[in-house]
Amino acid sequence: MSSRISATTALLLASGAAIPSARADLATAASPGRVAFEDSSPAPVALPAPAAVVDLAPPRPAARAPRVEVSAGPYTSTRALAFDVSSGTAIDELPVTSPSSTLVGAQVAAALFPAGDHDARGRLVGPGIAASYRHSLGATATFDDDLSDELLELPVVDSAWAIGLRYRQPLGPVLLDVGAAHHSHSHRVDERPDWLELPDAEYRSIAASAWLEATVRARATVALGASYHYVLDAGELMTDAAYGPGTISAYDLAAAVDVPLGSALFAHAGLAYHQVTMAFTGDGALAVLPDADVPDVYGAVDRAFDAQVAVGVRY
């Protein structure tokens, strides 16, 4: 059987030109007289991999580290002022001191860390400024009135404030908190009669402090600290009308625990021991006891033990 091929196709085959729509390969025909055609469908095209899904929603802002810490609560303080006198001093000639007693008051503290930085454990780090204030409430002391042989109850005021700089630096599992601050601590008897020779103590100092803070279970922190005070003034206690000038030094030891109550609230508890040591030159009017020719009061130690609890917020 013979194949019928159009004149145009015959001319193209004779010239060896390719056929656009179907290219005949006569040399490889399956059988004589039959023309084989290749598939004219286009070759498959490889599609590119689908692009990554793009989230068109606005990015969520990163959680801001706390920059401000404020706490407030009650405190108690037990103070004892003891004088160093000559061994032969009679009891009724000893310097007058406030009876040792425990008073209560309120305290507030605040800290600001402008950088708002924190370490991997979420603790505030970097430079900051801190301030605190406290004041006693309703404290009194009882003295013997030598003129009327009666007991005289007088109000006692304990107040203190501090403001200074802090820097918190993580050191592995612990955090070092160092600072320098101006302190003022006053302990005085109000409505004091003239015959009561009990000078007020008003200590002003520049203190350098260091704390080590460790995080324990449930993000609670335990801290131990100490500070040394360069005392600028002791108030009326070391004037010429009282026990006179001399040397003075002071230091504090403290411990504290912070327990989180939520994302921002926390509870605070602390203990502190304060000691001021004075050595008089003997030039003060009260340093020479009655019927004595030489100074009998050589110095004094002012001690206080404080405890406090507070509730605070960090934001």
Side-chain angles (χ1 to χ4, degrees), residues 131-243:
S132 64
Y133 176 77
R134 80 179 199 182
H135 199 285
S136 59
L137 300 172
T140 60
T142 302
F143 301 90
D144 292 328
D145 188 344
D146 295 336
L147 301 179
S148 61
D149 293 330
E150 296 179 354
L151 294 179
L152 184 63
E153 189 174 29
L154 301 175
V156 176
V157 176
D158 172 85
S159 64
W161 60 267
I163 185 169
L165 301 176
R166 293 170 58 185
Y167 189 85
R168 294 166 59 87
Q169 175 65 41
L171 298 175
V174 300
L175 186 142
L176 176 64
D177 187 332
V178 296
H182 184 279
H183 286 252
S184 178
H185 189 181
S186 173
H187 193 97
R188 65 184 187 273
V189 176
D190 280 352
E191 304 175 11
R192 186 183 65 197
D194 295 337
W195 55 264
L196 185 60
E197 296 177 339
L198 182 60
D200 297 333
E202 299 181 9
Y203 306 113
R204 294 189 305 107
S205 63
I206 301 296
S209 62
W211 286 77
L212 281 178
E213 178 183 300
T215 302
V216 294
R217 296 182 60 181
R219 296 190 299 128
T221 60
V222 177
L224 298 175
S227 60
Y228 176 80
H229 295 252
Y230 177 76
V231 183
L232 305 172
D233 188 14
E236 187 182 5
L237 188 63
M238 296 185 71
T239 61
D240 291 336
Y243 294 97

Side-chain angles (χ1 to χ4, degrees), residues 205-309:
S205 63
I206 301 296
S209 62
W211 286 77
L212 281 178
E213 178 183 300
T215 302
V216 294
R217 296 182 60 181
R219 296 190 299 128
T221 60
V222 177
L224 298 175
S227 60
Y228 176 80
H229 295 252
Y230 177 76
V231 183
L232 305 172
D233 188 14
E236 187 182 5
L237 188 63
M238 296 185 71
T239 61
D240 291 336
Y243 294 97
T247 60
I248 182 171
S249 62
Y251 68 89
D252 301 336
L253 300 175
V257 177
D258 283 5
V259 178
L261 301 178
S263 59
L265 292 176
F266 67 94
H268 171 85
L271 299 173
Y273 173 77
H274 313 274
Q275 179 168 312
V276 181
T277 303
M278 293 161 278
F280 307 131
T281 59
D283 297 328
L286 299 181
V288 181
L289 298 177
D291 302 327
D293 298 327
V294 295
D296 295 294
V297 182
Y298 309 128
V301 178
D302 197 348
R303 299 181 179 91
F305 184 80
D306 300 341
Q308 61 166 313
V309 292

Side-chain angles (χ1 to χ4, degrees), residues 4-26:
R4 293 182 179 180
I5 303 175
S6 65
T8 304
T9 302
L11 291 173
L12 291 173
L13 289 174
S15 63
I19 302 175
S21 60
R23 190 176 57 193
D25 190 357
L26 298 179

